[in-house]
Amino acid sequence: MPQEHYFSSKPASGDALRTIPVRLAGRTVEVLTAGGVFSPGHLDQGTRVLLDEVPAPPASGDLLDLGCGWGPIALTLALESPDATVWAVDVNERALDLVRRNAARLGLRNINAVRPEDVPPGVRFATVWSNPPIRIGKPELHAMLADWLPRLDDGATAWLVVQKNLGADSLQRWLAETLGDDADVERAATSKGFRVLTVTRAD
Ligand SMILES: C[S@@+](CC[C@H](N)C(=O)[O-])C[C@H]1O[C@@H](n2cnc3c(N)ncnc32)[C@H](O)[C@@H]1O
């Protein structure tokens, strides 16, 4: 059997549900998590750094959490921007199921938790927030970002958190080289061993 990762599409490992308390959008909420998804026992430290560093999201439009896991980023976007449409995208179907359940628990009706291929191709994003799946490997990560970042609206910004020891600086260079004049790539913050990178699409 192939080794299982948190990015398996159908995790085989135990799916016992558990609830954990997390602080999202300035309040403590109980969310459901399960084995076979990323960081099931607690809010990942990189995600915490991202959520502490980003400005308030746009109040309307389509907002993307790329690689949503059980949903801390998507839930935050939906709590902070109730009039926006939040796309929570992941290849892991158990993660998508957890996001749907967590949205229902919090009474949120503005989250679409879907596989990447199920986001209509015409949708453009007013922002992207992501703790991207570095461990899928560099070619796969680059391909994923090259697919999604050009879908930012003109002038819109993506916020990416990456562990410094897992190649944050080389990813920043790759983004700048690859996107060229189409986007401005910056290091917005460094905290607790993580970099927060921004990619702002040209107007
Ligand atoms: C580092 S985890 C972050 C999860 C969640 N956003 C959080 O902060 O806890 C990255 C997520 O990306 C997902 N992923 C892997 N490959 C992907 C792809 N090609 N497209 C979308 N998501 C992917 C993984 O399944 C995983 O849930």
Side-chain angles (χ1 to χ4, degrees):
M1 194 169 104
Q3 194 193 352
E4 181 169 303
H5 303 280
Y6 63 75
F7 45 89
S8 299
S9 61
K10 291 184 190 298
S13 66
D15 62 352
L17 294 173
R18 67 183 97 156
T19 55
I20 60 168
V22 287
R23 201 154 171 80
L24 302 177
R27 67 185 88 163
T28 300
V29 295
E30 295 273 333
V31 295
L32 280 176
T33 73
V37 303
F38 178 76
S39 196
H42 58 275
L43 185 68
D44 174 66
Q45 202 180 11
T47 304
R48 177 79 278 151
V49 167
L50 178 74
L51 295 178
D52 287 347
E53 295 292 342
V54 283
S60 60
D62 292 284
L63 317 181
L64 173 64
D65 172 4
L66 180 56
C68 58
W70 54 258
I73 295 173
L75 295 168
T76 302
L77 287 167
L79 286 165
E80 293 192 349
S81 295
D83 295 329
T85 299
V86 176
W87 295 89
V89 169
D90 207 294
V91 292
N92 180 327
E93 293 189 11
R94 186 177 296 165
L96 294 174
D97 182 55
L98 289 167
V99 176
R100 292 182 196 117
R101 290 173 182 233
N102 283 326
R105 286 170 73 90
L106 299 181
L108 296 167
R109 303 171 66 94
N110 59 331
I111 299 185
N112 294 323
V114 295
R115 298 174 302 169
E117 58 272 33
D118 294 333
V119 179
V123 174
R124 294 286 175 271
F125 301 105
T127 195
V128 177
W129 289 4
S130 180
N131 179 349
I134 301 298
R135 294 188 190 279
I136 60 177
K138 207 180 263 193
E140 293 81 1
L141 176 71
H142 288 177
M144 185 186 85
L145 294 172
D147 272 352
W148 290 96
L149 293 177
R151 296 177 68 173
L152 281 167
D153 286 333
D154 291 348
T157 298
W159 296 76
L160 312 175
V161 67
V162 183
Q163 202 170 331
K164 192 169 173 305
N165 291 343
L166 292 181
D169 294 346
S170 70
L171 182 66
Q172 183 180 352
R173 281 192 295 277
W174 177 83
L175 287 165
E177 283 163 15
T178 305
L179 298 171
D181 291 340
D182 292 338
D184 180 42
V185 180
E186 301 283 345
R187 183 187 303 158
T190 298
S191 176
K192 299 174 183 155
F194 292 87
R195 306 273 203 223
V196 177
L197 306 179
T198 55
V199 177
T200 302
R201 194 172 157 81
D203 275 319

